[in-house]
Amino acid sequence: MLIGLFVLLLVMIFAGIPVILALGLIGVGGIAGVPELNFALFPQKMFTTLDSFSLLALPYFILAGELMARGGISRKLVEFAETVVGHLRGGLAQANIVASMVFSGVSGSSTADTSAIGSVLIPAMKEKGYKAGYAAAITATSGTIGAIIPPSMTLIVYGSLANVSIGGLFLGGIIPGILVGVAFMAVVVVQSRNAKKYPEMQSREGSFHLGAVLRALPRVWAALLAPLIIVGGILGGIFTATEAGVVACVYSFIIAFFIYRTVKLADLPRIFLAAAMTTCMVSGIIAIAGGFGWLLAYLNFNQIVLRNIYAVTDNPQIVFLLLVLVMLVLTMFVDSMAVLIISVPVAVQIGNSYGLDPFQLGLALTIATQIGSTTPPVAVLLFVASSIARCPYRETVRYVWPFIAAEIAVLMLVVFWTPVASAIPTWALTR
């Protein structure tokens, strides 16, 4: 029966049926195939999944990201990034990465990061001679940092389902997120040395001036302060991750309304509506996937997977790699959030059985889902960036592989070196 459920799920997804609807239909159909189960159990388990204090942070961070995006913060961050790295070869490509790293500390979403930064920088890169596919590829891959550097909606969902400290996951994402950004910048440096293939990267826009950076700070300091307040507050024990979401909302409103004056009171209904729609969409997927996950647990899916893994190997590192590989492959075909929600209970049980560090496991699986979301055939972020760049999807795919390889290298570092993901949260939560 389990194999039939998964086959039907994949068939429905490939047929173009929305993930949330496919999961719901398969879940209800699975209950119908078990005589002792009642249909009323499915909505009950959906509600139980959402009945989590940790998930309260989700709508707050979504609203904060919406306020920041509508407030034009992304454009100011892009301008600041150009001031810092625009003088380098491939300066606009480097600015794209730096801006994504900073904006990720505001939006908490890889899709929001890709859309906000892409709408500003992709047209600018095309004007400077960058190929549309290349601009889309670097924007989509650097957008994945939005789910790694705190605050992150993906880490909020993972922490609530895995019963792992969300504050600890936020802190654990700092080093891997920075490493992914640095790896992408290194790729651009290497590419900029190939004058024949990347002639658009050979020109330099002036030189670095500390004075220019200092003059740019008054225009962007408020936006740069947002992630520091969030992370610093959690690190200092001033507030929890959920309370940090409320702080982020209030701070975002103050910046957009009083400091930058880019949001008016008349704009708030549209902002609230957009945030509510996003929250409903994400919450719906979480609820449906939670009900489906409960059905899998009832059918002993977790125990079946564990038995098969024990039969193959008892090496924790190999098991870890298998989990990461499965997560990466699944997110190449299915929505990353849905895959994460369905897989987390099984992955956590396996991780606990093999003594894997909870923060290391959470960050590795999160990075794997983001790599999958930029890897063909079903790469959501590539589609988003390609639509902004107005270029064929296949053109974007041509340029994405070096950046995927760089992110996989960071993922392997997280898998094989525990302190990369666990050093900061372990220190913060045990002091």
Side-chain angles (χ1 to χ4, degrees), residues 174-402:
I174 296 173
I175 296 177
I178 292 173
L179 287 177
V180 170
V182 170
F184 288 162
M185 294 178 75
V187 170
V188 173
V189 169
V190 173
Q191 291 174 334
S192 67
R193 297 181 184 278
N194 189 339
K196 186 176 181 180
K197 190 173 182 180
Y198 300 99
E200 67 275 13
M201 291 192 186
Q202 304 312 304
S203 61
R204 296 171 181 262
E205 299 290 333
S207 57
F208 177 78
H209 293 289
L210 181 60
V213 176
L214 294 177
R215 286 193 297 273
L217 279 176
R219 297 193 299 271
V220 78
W221 68 268
L224 293 175
L225 200 59
L228 295 179
I229 290 175
I230 294 168
V231 176
I234 297 172
L235 189 63
I238 301 173
F239 41 69
T240 65
T242 302
E243 293 165 343
V246 180
V247 173
C249 282
V250 174
Y251 184 75
S252 299
F253 176 75
I254 291 172
I255 291 175
F257 187 79
F258 292 104
I259 298 178
Y260 293 140
R261 297 180 179 178
T262 48
V263 170
K264 301 181 176 67
L265 289 177
D267 298 326
L268 291 181
R270 289 196 301 272
I271 293 174
F272 288 147
L273 180 61
M277 290 175 64
T278 303
T279 301
C280 288
M281 180 182 66
V282 175
S283 299
I285 294 176
I286 293 172
I288 293 287
F292 183 72
W294 165 81
L295 176 62
L296 294 181
Y298 182 85
L299 297 174
N300 295 318
F301 177 70
N302 296 2
Q303 285 71 27
I304 293 172
V305 172
L306 270 174
R307 281 201 306 270
N308 283 298
I309 290 179
Y310 283 137
V312 173
T313 180
D314 59 355
N315 187 314
Q317 290 290 357
I318 295 177
V319 171
F320 200 172
L321 281 173
L322 285 173
L323 288 175
V324 167
L325 179 62
V326 168
M327 192 70 71
L328 197 156
V329 171
L330 286 176
T331 48
M332 289 168 60
F333 300 94
V334 184
D335 178 78
S336 60
M337 186 67 76
V339 170
L340 195 70
I341 294 166
I342 295 171
S343 306
V344 162
V346 181
V348 169
Q349 185 171 345
I350 294 171
N352 291 338
S353 300
Y354 283 88
L356 300 179
D357 183 271
F359 300 121
Q360 182 186 19
L361 178 63
L363 265 300
L365 295 183
T366 297
I367 296 172
T369 63
Q370 297 309 299
I371 296 173
S373 66
T374 56
T375 306
V378 183
V380 177
L381 295 183
L382 293 190
F383 278 109
V384 171
S386 297
S387 65
I388 296 172
R390 297 180 180 178
C391 69
Y393 174 76
R394 63 180 180 275
E395 183 184 341
T396 303
V397 172
R398 285 176 52 200
Y399 296 100
V400 79
W401 301 110

Side-chain angles (χ1 to χ4, degrees), residues 56 71 82 85 89 106 113 150 188 190 270 273 300 403 412 429:
L56 281 176
E82 286 187 76
V85 297
R89 283 181 181 173
V106 176
D113 200 336
V188 173
V190 173
R270 289 196 301 272
L273 180 61
N300 295 318
F403 299 102
M412 291 300 99
L429 297 175

Side-chain angles (χ1 to χ4, degrees), residues 80-102 130 134 137-139 141-145 149 176-193 198 201 208 402-407 410:
F80 179 73
E82 286 187 76
T83 304
V84 176
V85 297
H87 64 285
L88 301 173
R89 283 181 181 173
L92 275 181
Q94 299 284 19
N96 193 316
I97 298 165
V98 172
S100 292
M101 292 174 67
V102 179
Y130 285 84
Y134 182 86
I138 193 171
T139 301
T141 49
S142 61
T144 62
I145 304 173
I149 288 181
I178 292 173
L179 287 177
V180 170
V182 170
F184 288 162
M185 294 178 75
V187 170
V188 173
V189 169
V190 173
Q191 291 174 334
S192 67
R193 297 181 184 278
Y198 300 99
M201 291 192 186
F208 177 78
F403 299 102
I404 289 176
E407 196 160 8
V410 176

